[in-house]
Amino acid sequence: MLNLNKIKESNENKHIPKEIEETRNLITESFKDLEFVEDVHKYFLPKGKKKIELPSVSSIIKRWEQEVDWDEKAELKALSLGIPTEELKRQWHENNIISTSCGSKTHFFGENAMNMFIGREDLAKQNMPFQYTEDGYLIPYCPKEWAITQYYEDIMNNKNVYPVMPEAKIYTNYNKTFKMKQPYAGTFDILLAYRYKGEIVYSIHDFKTNKDLYKAFSRSNGVMMLPPFDEMGFYEEPYYHYVIQLNCYQLGLMQLGLKIVDRNLIWLKEDGTYEKIKVPDITQVLLPLL
């Protein structure tokens, strides 16, 4: 399990460079005006005496997703199961509530685990009083939290990896690096740093709690995302949606002059393990579209 004393010992042994704290402060300060209203999942940015709403990264991705007629899909599925359509919709709604709530709880555990790495154990203790013990242990309550624990233990044991920050909020058009017709905002889970050939470079990681990242139906029937991603071989499925998502986050950080070397999905499994999945850099494809 994650223990504060072990984390502090790991950080001391790594001799974490001063650039890590500088980067943490740079990101926090640069995007400090961005307001996120969690209940409605909306982002706002002050403009004079008003606040303007910025589209989320998720809404940007929807531009290239296939539309689904969920009413028609529910009717066909209910017919095949021999149950009323409304009953099936109720089941779907309940399953969505459960998966969303469990996903949010799991991400919150991951956020507070990272807080322990960056000297904010006070937040971990405050946010998770029933899981943070007096002797500095953060206790996982479910398999996916165990998977997060293993993920952080692997980071702790890798002397070349430096934790930077959790839950980093970004927005585009912060400066003139990229001038986008449609600015957007978003929040990614984890930023890590490495020392490569004498310079500090960065990696974006994002926890995923999906039952599956890939859709067998889309792959077997050639159901693709909308142009231009169909020509790039992007199937209509969560994995390719996330490829776009992490690259959108990358553009937000590139505005600050940070060198992003890779992007990784951290797929948390029901058996308490995780899979690290590297996704390609498509920022040069996205820029003309945005």
Side-chain angles (χ1 to χ4, degrees):
M1 289 184 295
L2 294 175
N3 177 264
L4 183 61
N5 291 328
K6 288 184 178 179
I7 289 172
K8 287 182 176 179
E9 181 181 352
S10 172
N11 286 346
E12 290 173 2
N13 291 337
K14 288 182 180 184
H15 304 292
I16 295 179
K18 62 180 178 61
E19 292 96 328
I20 303 306
E21 182 67 27
E22 291 171 355
T23 296
R24 192 178 299 139
N25 292 337
L26 173 64
I27 294 171
T28 301
E29 184 66 21
S30 298
F31 303 119
K32 65 181 180 181
D33 292 336
L34 183 63
E35 178 185 350
F36 178 61
V37 181
E38 190 165 2
D39 291 347
V40 291
H41 199 85
K42 290 185 177 182
Y43 292 89
F44 297 92
L45 197 61
K47 188 174 183 180
K49 295 182 179 181
K50 298 182 179 180
K51 292 182 180 180
I52 60 170
E53 181 180 347
L54 293 179
S56 66
V57 169
S58 298
S59 67
I60 294 295
I61 297 169
K62 287 187 181 298
R63 296 181 180 184
W64 301 294
E65 293 180 23
Q66 294 276 1
E67 288 189 18
V68 178
D69 187 333
W70 288 104
D71 288 333
E72 180 182 3
K73 191 169 185 177
E75 288 180 10
L76 293 173
K77 183 67 174 178
L79 184 62
S80 69
L81 295 174
I83 61 174
T85 301
E86 292 307 312
E87 171 63 18
L88 179 63
K89 287 184 176 180
R90 182 188 62 79
Q91 292 177 12
W92 282 358
H93 179 60
E94 291 177 354
N95 289 339
N96 181 64
I97 292 173
I98 292 170
S99 63
T100 300
S101 299
C102 289
S104 296
K105 171 66 169 61
T106 302
H107 278 76
F108 195 53
F109 180 89
E111 175 185 352
N112 285 287
M114 175 58 97
N115 282 330
M116 295 171 67
F117 278 84
I118 64 172
R120 295 307 312 272
E121 61 270 15
D122 58 315
L123 289 178
K125 185 175 183 179
Q126 174 186 321
N127 293 336
M128 311 202 83
F130 300 108
Q131 290 180 254
Y132 190 88
T133 68
E134 289 301 320
D135 50 351
Y137 283 94
L138 187 63
I139 310 298
Y141 276 5
C142 66
K144 290 184 180 181
E145 290 182 358
W146 275 106
I148 287 178
T149 299
Q150 184 60 58
Y151 165 79
Y152 279 113
E153 287 178 345
D154 291 343
I155 288 175
M156 192 163 51
N157 293 328
N158 189 331
K159 64 180 181 180
N160 299 313
V161 178
Y162 310 120
V164 180
M165 65 190 301
E167 290 294 299
K169 293 178 176 58
I170 59 94
Y171 64 88
T172 55
N173 288 0
Y174 167 74
N175 54 29
K176 295 182 179 180
T177 302
F178 310 116
K179 191 62 178 176
M180 298 180 182
K181 295 178 181 178
Q182 177 58 76
Y184 59 82
T187 307
F188 60 86
D189 295 328
I190 297 294
L191 186 66
L192 301 178
Y194 309 83
R195 187 179 292 282
Y196 179 72
K197 294 184 178 180
E199 73 173 320
I200 299 295
V201 296
Y202 299 89
S203 178
I204 298 169
H205 287 200
D206 220 58
F207 293 126
K208 300 303 176 189
T209 58
N210 307 55
K211 183 177 181 180
D212 201 349
L213 296 180
Y214 313 100
K215 281 190 177 180
F217 179 85
S218 291
R219 292 183 171 233
S220 61
N221 291 277
V223 182
M224 315 300 289
M225 294 188 71
L226 299 179
F229 296 107
D230 55 344
E231 296 181 359
M232 296 172 61
F234 280 33
Y235 290 105
E236 181 57 59
E237 64 182 13
Y239 168 75
Y240 283 107
H241 296 172
Y242 295 149
V243 170
I244 299 173
Q245 180 187 41
L246 266 62
N247 276 269
C248 284
Y249 295 150
Q250 176 171 331
L251 288 170
L253 290 175
M254 288 171 65
Q255 298 173 117
L256 306 182
L258 301 181
K259 185 174 182 178
I260 311 299
V261 294
D262 67 359
R263 303 133 302 277
N264 294 273
L265 305 177
I266 306 302
W267 188 13
L268 308 173
K269 307 292 188 69
E270 287 291 354
D271 63 358
T273 64
Y274 74 91
E275 183 178 349
K276 181 180 176 182
I277 305 171
K278 188 184 292 286
V279 305
D281 184 345
I282 62 164
T283 51
Q284 296 308 306
V285 174
L286 279 174
L287 276 173
L289 301 174
L290 297 170

